[in-house]
Amino acid sequence: MPKTFPTPKLVIFDCEGVLVDSEPASNQALADNLSRHGLPLTVEQSMAHFVGGTMTGVMQTARSLGANLPDNWIEEIYDETYALLRQGVPLVQGIPDLLARLDAQGIPVCVASNGSEEKMRTTLGQNGLWERFHPQAMFSAHSLGVAKPEPGLFLAAASHFGVQARDCLVIEDSGSGVTAAVRAGMRCLGFAPQGGGKKLAALGAEVFTNMSEVPALLSI
């Protein structure tokens, strides 16, 4: 018999790669930038190295791999990334239907991301979700000063909604996000539409590949 879970009292979404399909564009900007700074990477290699990390961590890793980055590199890469994202970023397939289903069940939702609020304004604002989440249901590592894989971002969201960690469900697509959810004591669904689910499962996530699967996983 498959394990059954109670319906969550709060669903916490990651932003990039879960709500919006922005990882390809973000990593295209990153790969192009790092290639100019002496670290040739494909988009796929960039995603393998950097998805789910903070930009400070990306900078440290890129330097360790041989990139010659200026001190103002984070400002530079944000400018280039936002410019590319403004050209258009779609919602992940199935997200509107899933959010509508959660609304119909009266289950609160929020977004918790290692990205900045400015980045989320750029991506979510194109799709009508910025107004939905900001400011009461949006938690940014830049604002709170704690980033995944530490659990503080998710715990802050739970505290804001007055929900205990065990009653929260997190939807993530990165190893750092899954680790943060597990450390917070929260059930985590790992979104792996293009593969890579074994890594997320090994970290403690229940892997799925399409947002249409989520209602059944949540028993709604």
Side-chain angles (χ1 to χ4, degrees):
M1 290 287 292
K3 186 176 181 180
T4 58
F5 295 89
T7 301
K9 296 179 181 178
L10 174 67
V11 175
I12 305 174
F13 288 89
D14 179 41
C15 185
E16 283 202 76
V18 173
L19 289 173
V20 288
D21 190 17
S22 53
E23 293 287 15
S26 294
N27 282 275
Q28 182 67 64
L30 188 56
D32 290 347
N33 178 283
L34 292 177
S35 293
R36 294 199 315 270
H37 287 298
L39 180 61
L41 290 176
T42 65
V43 173
E44 291 75 19
Q45 288 171 327
S46 175
M47 292 181 74
H49 281 300
F50 304 124
V51 164
T54 64
M55 205 53 75
T56 299
V58 170
M59 184 176 185
Q60 293 170 347
T61 301
R63 280 177 166 169
S64 74
L65 293 171
N68 183 20
L69 303 182
D71 290 340
N72 70 337
W73 179 78
I74 290 179
E75 180 181 349
E76 174 186 298
I77 188 59
Y78 273 139
D79 287 344
E80 294 176 15
T81 301
Y82 296 162
L84 198 56
L85 292 174
R86 289 188 194 101
Q87 296 179 21
V89 178
L91 288 176
V92 167
Q93 185 176 7
I95 281 295
D97 290 342
L98 176 56
L99 292 174
R101 179 76 73 92
L102 292 168
D103 285 347
Q105 295 290 323
I107 299 172
V109 299
C110 67
V111 55
S113 172
N114 273 356
S116 67
E117 285 199 10
E118 182 181 356
K119 190 174 188 179
M120 288 189 277
R121 184 199 299 270
T122 300
T123 58
L124 298 178
Q126 299 174 25
N127 297 287
L129 291 186
W130 172 258
E131 295 79 6
R132 178 191 179 111
F133 289 110
H134 185 267
Q136 295 88 356
M138 179 172 289
F139 303 89
S140 164
H142 286 229
S143 302
L144 293 177
V146 60
K148 310 166 195 176
E150 297 304 318
L153 198 60
F154 292 146
L155 293 173
S159 177
H160 176 83
F161 282 89
V163 176
Q164 295 196 42
R166 65 174 180 268
D167 294 321
C168 296
L169 179 128
V170 175
I171 302 180
E172 269 287 352
D173 71 328
S174 72
S176 63
V178 173
T179 298
V182 171
R183 288 177 176 175
M186 298 178 180
R187 183 185 177 200
C188 183
L189 302 185
F191 183 47
Q194 307 296 332
K198 288 184 179 179
K199 175 186 174 183
L200 301 183
L203 292 170
E206 300 162 55
V207 175
F208 71 104
T209 60
N210 193 297
M211 290 295 167
S212 64
E213 300 171 54
V214 175
L217 293 169
L218 271 57
S219 302
I220 60 173

